[in-house]
Structures are given as structure tokens and as C-alpha cells.
Amino acid sequence: MTIGAVNGAFSKEQSGDDDTTALAKAPTIEEAKDVKFEPYERPDPTLPDPPKGKVKRFKVDVYEHVTQVASHLAPTEVWSFAVNGVEHRGTGVSQPMVVTEGDKVEIELRNGGDERMQVRMPHSIDLHAAEVNPGEAFATIAPGETHRFSFDADHPGVFMYHCATEPVLHHTGAGMVGAIIVKPKDLAPVDRELWMVQQEYYIGKPGEPADMRKMQAKQPDVIAFNGYADQYAEHPIEVKRGERIRMYVMNAGPSIWSAFHVIGTVFDRTVVEGTVGRHVQTINLAPSQGGWVEFTLAEEGTYPFVTHAFGDMVKGAKGVLVTEHPPKGAAH
Ligand SMILES: [Cu+2]
């Protein structure tokens, strides 16, 4: 066998198909004239409270929708999870679930509860915080079906949830990812808690499903926090100088690492995958990993947060925290 043949066989095996044409450039908004899509709506990055009641119940529904994930690019079809009625139409993010260590959690998954959800295919939900038989709990259900299971959230952390229906790369790359945050029982209160999900988007033709070949090549068009490129740079998150801030960060991937960093501060304390850090500049999150970072902003100002993998940041993974009285003329 020649070297060329070996390389050929290897790349064929890796890509899973014979298509060697170049990946399509993401279509621009100008190229999407006739495509209807949802207007942008900024997801509130304030961490939601756990549901009331002793047992924490989550009604999760699936919806397939057309939205932009970056203002300059064409809208794309995104598959998302609604959590207890909260939908994020106008972006590509799904609402986080929040519980406390030791809680009993009940999940009711509906795969497209009504016509508005536009669900046309089977889906499922896999929660990394759950210790269950995955073949039963994370079962795939047909459109219109409902599936229930429960688990005890015994491990604190920031865990991923996602659709596990095959091809799982396509379902997760099309949007079906999120975070379930299990707060430790003894977690000290802080002044402000925020959630941030880093996620990739692989845009196909305008308004159509995501591009599987780009997913296989790990070449996202957009990498965003909470479902829309650069949204918290355009619409910053207001905080206060000197207050203690805790950000829960999930890298939902599906395939790119995150190097989460806030410019102009040092994390006093971090908890990532059970490991406590002190004096941390950047947390390192593999796809599916999460954790929280705690810090205070020492001066009035505008503080960008990014993935410090800058080739990824320029695809939209940056935002801004702004204090109440930033100095005039101090651009971020
Ligand atoms: Cu799915």
C-alpha cells in the first residue's frame, strides 16, 4: 500500500463519506431574503431558582425552530428544549435546569407537545447528572410521545444535558444541548448568580437544518454564549463593582473546548468537575464539562468575558459585564 492509499483510507474512515468538496461558507443574512425567522430575544443570564416543592419536576418539551444565531448570518433551523414552559425563541440556547444536591428530580419529556413545536423527528434527553439505566431513562421517543423518569441528584456540579438520539452529533450540533446545575447543599450565598452555556452552530442553507459535514469536520460557523454570537457584548450584563459574582459555565460543545476567562479579574474560587481551584485566570472545559467561577470586579468598568481560544472567540464567544458607573469614553 502506498502512503497515498493509507492516507486516503484513513481520511475516508475518519469522515465517514467520500465527499471531499469544500465545506460551504455560512450564508449571510442578505442571502436569506425569503426565509421567515424569529426575532432576536436576549436570554436572561440570571440563574433561575430551582422549581418549588420537595420533588423537583421538569416538564421538558422539544421544539424545532428557525432563528439566527449571529446577526450577520442567515437564520438556521435549531432544535431546542423548552424547560417548564421557558422557550428561547430568537436564539439557539435551551434553558438550564437548577436543583440542589440531594433533590429527587422528575423529568417529563414531551417530544413536541403541540403543533407550535414543529417537531418532525424522534428525540430524547440524556442528563449527565442522573445515575440511571440509560437505555430506559434516555430512550428515544416519536413525535408527540411523552416519557417520564426520575433520579436523585446526589452529585453537585454543572452537568450537561442533551438529546442522545442517533446520529447524536447531528442532534447536539443542531442545538439539542443544555445545562443542569446541581448546587451543593452548603454553597455560600453570593450577590449575583449567572449562567452561561458555550455552544457551537453549524449553519446549513438559510432556514434549513444544520450542516452535518461541518459538524464532522468540527468547523462551526458560530460559537456563542447563550445561543447568539456576541449578544452580551452588544447588550452587556449589568453588575455592581465589588459585589460577589458566581458564573455557572457549561461547555455544551458538541466538539470544541472552552477556555473561559473574564478580562480584568482573577477567579478567587472555581469548582470545575469536583475540583476546587484558587487564584484562577482561566477554566478549562472539555465538551460536556462545566463548573462555576467566583470573583468580584475591583473597579468601575466594562469587563469582557471570552473563551481565550481566540480563534473560537472571534466566532462569537464573547460578552461583557458592565458595572453601574463605567468611566466615560472607556471602550471595551
Ligand atoms: Cu434530538
Side-chain angles (χ1 to χ4, degrees):
M1 211 186 222
T2 64
I3 295 288
V6 170
N7 285 343
F10 183 73
S11 64
K12 187 173 169 185
E13 198 173 299
Q14 291 296 299
S15 72
D17 66 43
D18 291 326
D19 191 348
T20 54
T21 54
L23 296 170
K25 239 178 132 237
T28 64
I29 184 65
E30 287 78 24
E31 293 170 283
K33 288 271 183 273
D34 298 324
V35 179
K36 281 209 180 107
F37 59 94
E38 297 162 345
Y40 168 72
E41 226 175 284
R42 180 184 184 272
D44 184 352
T46 304
L47 191 79
D49 290 329
K52 304 239 181 302
K54 200 161 178 297
V55 175
K56 303 303 169 187
R57 293 193 172 87
F58 293 96
K59 286 189 174 228
V60 180
D61 203 345
V62 177
Y63 59 111
E64 301 178 3
H65 60 129
V66 176
T67 179
Q68 284 185 293
V69 291
S71 61
H72 63 292
L73 296 179
T76 182
E77 186 178 293
V78 177
W79 307 339
S80 301
F81 293 100
V83 174
N84 285 342
V86 179
E87 301 171 12
H88 289 295
R89 295 185 182 268
T91 71
V93 77
S94 295
Q95 179 75 352
M97 303 179 210
V98 181
V99 301
T100 304
E101 178 187 0
D103 279 344
K104 184 176 175 69
V105 181
E106 283 184 8
I107 302 288
E108 179 184 298
L109 176 71
R110 291 198 77 176
N111 186 21
D114 60 46
E115 191 52 37
R116 212 171 55 83
M117 304 317 241
Q118 293 287 311
V119 168
R120 287 156 296 172
M121 67 188 80
H123 293 294
S124 58
I125 191 166
D126 167 336
L127 297 115
H128 291 190
E131 296 177 288
V132 291
N133 174 16
E136 287 172 54
F138 306 155
T140 289
I141 57 172
E145 283 186 351
T146 300
H147 171 68
R148 292 178 188 83
F149 62 98
S150 62
F151 64 93
D152 296 323
D154 289 334
H155 300 279
V158 176
F159 294 90
M160 186 175 180
Y161 70 75
H162 63 90
C163 178
T165 300
E166 291 295 343
V168 67
L169 174 61
H170 200 208
H171 286 249
T172 53
M176 301 192 79
V177 298
I180 173 164
I181 293 156
V182 183
K183 289 183 165 188
K185 271 184 192 152
D186 56 354
L187 189 62
V190 290
D191 300 305
R192 192 179 299 271
E193 292 190 305
L194 302 168
W195 63 279
M196 213 47 66
V197 173
Q198 180 176 319
Q199 188 176 346
E200 301 136 32
Y201 298 93
Y202 302 83
I203 299 176
K205 294 198 176 93
E208 292 189 19
D211 188 325
M212 179 67 157
R213 289 185 59 233
K214 290 181 187 173
M215 294 176 203
Q216 288 169 323
K218 299 201 273 190
Q219 295 286 330
D221 299 302
V222 170
I223 303 177
F225 291 124
N226 291 359
Y228 200 96
D230 300 327
Q231 60 178 329
Y232 299 125
E234 302 288 324
H235 311 280
I237 300 167
E238 290 173 16
V239 297
K240 289 183 179 150
R241 172 192 171 191
E243 71 177 354
R244 192 158 182 82
I245 300 169
R246 179 181 291 134
M247 286 179 92
Y248 296 85
V249 185
M250 156 53 51
N251 178 21
S255 295
I256 307 293
W257 262 246
S258 177
F260 188 79
H261 173 73
V262 179
I263 295 164
T265 195
V266 176
F267 303 142
D268 304 310
R269 186 168 186 269
T270 62
V271 179
V272 176
E273 299 290 318
T275 300
V276 177
R278 301 278 314 275
H279 319 300
V280 174
Q281 60 190 312
T282 297
I283 57 167
N284 176 22
L285 301 174
S288 84
Q289 289 190 319
W292 59 88
V293 300
E294 296 174 4
F295 55 96
T296 56
L297 303 178
E299 300 187 332
E300 294 286 347
T302 53
Y303 293 79
F305 57 91
V306 298
T307 175
H308 218 287
F310 282 157
D312 297 334
M313 177 196 72
V314 297
K315 293 182 173 181
K318 66 172 182 294
V320 167
L321 301 167
V322 61
T323 62
E324 291 175 294
H325 311 290
K328 281 204 173 69
H332 57 263

